[in-house]
Amino acid sequence: MAETSPQELETLLAAADADRETAWAAFLGSFSPLLLHAARTSSSGYDDAMDSYAYVLERLRDNNFSRLRSYTADPRSRFTTWLVLVARRMCIDRKRERYGRAPGTGRTPANEDARAARRRLADLTAAEVDLATIEDSQQGNPEEVLRAQELRQMLEAAIEELEPRDQLLLTFRFVDGLSAREIAPLQSWPSPVHVYRRIEYLTAKLRRHLTRRGVDDPVP
């Protein structure tokens, strides 16, 4: 069953002009922690994070909250997952507007950030699925280096098959380094224990995914 839109969102989008600022304040009262987190993890330093946060708020308000109006309840993920991903994308857009694209590479900041995040997530999750010896290095036996690269690619593919909410959970834990106590309110988990249990479930699922593909030895 699809998740219904949060009451704060429905109230904001239905508010008359006279009530809109009150509804916006109520929306921010519920979701500012998520937006601030997205800004902090996409920025360098306090001032940059606050600028990113202000930018996100401005973009969300644009055209009578058109970005928020584009949200459609999806059984695969929650509104909070969607909101964090949207906020992170806006922070990347801000960087692109401010610094432009990397010259001569054909790579966008969005692609580079996403690629780096996937690498960090794969590397850090690897430790939880008994693949801690995977190295991203040009040193050592070429065969070992190739096997390490293949293992990382398989792990990244397995992570990408997870639901968006679970990918975000692993990102919070392994990329952003948040504790279960910090993650619980961000994703509306009942308690940190539920966060730990879900992470254990996901790492076990990733381990099974790799085992089915013939990875039964943590040594590359």
Side-chain angles (χ1 to χ4, degrees):
M1 180 178 179
E3 181 199 9
T4 58
S5 298
Q7 184 60 51
E8 297 90 340
L9 177 63
E10 293 184 355
T11 300
L12 173 63
L13 299 184
D17 291 346
D19 301 324
R20 192 160 295 144
E21 288 305 316
T22 299
W24 175 238
F27 178 88
L28 292 181
S30 295
F31 300 111
S32 266
L34 281 172
L35 298 175
L36 278 168
H37 176 79
R40 287 178 183 134
T41 56
S42 303
S43 307
S44 56
Y46 177 83
D47 290 341
D48 188 42
M50 292 301 100
D51 288 344
S52 292
Y53 175 68
Y55 179 90
V56 168
L57 297 190
E58 183 179 355
R59 295 287 77 79
L60 289 177
R61 289 180 64 108
D62 279 350
N63 301 315
N64 193 23
F65 306 100
S66 62
R67 194 68 183 88
L68 291 174
R69 292 182 188 279
S70 71
Y71 171 71
T72 302
D74 189 326
R76 296 172 300 175
S77 63
R78 298 191 180 198
F79 172 73
T80 50
T81 301
W82 177 88
L83 185 62
V84 169
L85 295 177
V86 166
R88 289 191 175 196
R89 171 63 62 179
M90 289 176 174
C91 291
I92 291 171
D93 289 344
R94 173 180 171 267
K95 286 184 178 180
R96 184 184 296 126
E97 291 176 5
R98 185 172 183 180
Y99 302 112
R101 299 173 185 270
T105 64
R107 296 179 176 178
T108 67
N111 289 339
E112 290 301 299
D113 285 358
R115 187 177 295 109
R118 285 197 299 272
R119 283 200 301 267
R120 292 195 301 272
L121 180 56
D123 290 342
L124 291 166
T125 309
E128 296 291 327
V129 294
D130 298 329
L131 292 175
T133 55
I134 294 178
E135 299 290 344
D136 185 12
S137 171
Q138 298 303 314
Q139 301 177 356
N141 187 298
E143 183 177 348
E144 293 178 353
V145 173
L146 177 60
R147 176 157 172 76
Q149 292 173 344
E150 291 175 345
L151 290 174
R152 178 176 291 104
Q153 290 171 358
M154 284 190 287
L155 184 56
E156 287 184 357
I159 291 170
E160 290 179 354
E161 290 179 5
L162 299 176
E163 297 294 339
R165 174 174 165 81
D166 289 332
Q167 290 189 40
L168 184 59
L169 169 61
L170 294 178
T171 299
F172 280 154
R173 179 67 187 93
F174 295 113
V175 177
D176 298 339
L178 299 185
S179 67
R181 186 176 298 278
E182 292 171 315
I183 294 171
L186 291 175
Q187 285 199 300
S188 301
W189 293 98
S191 72
V193 172
H194 290 79
V195 174
Y196 283 123
R197 288 176 179 170
R198 188 63 181 176
I199 290 173
E200 289 176 358
Y201 166 80
L202 292 173
T203 53
K205 183 176 182 177
L206 293 173
R207 187 184 298 111
R208 290 193 299 271
H209 177 99
L210 295 176
T211 299
R212 287 195 300 269
R213 283 155 180 76
V215 179
D216 53 7
D217 186 346
V219 180

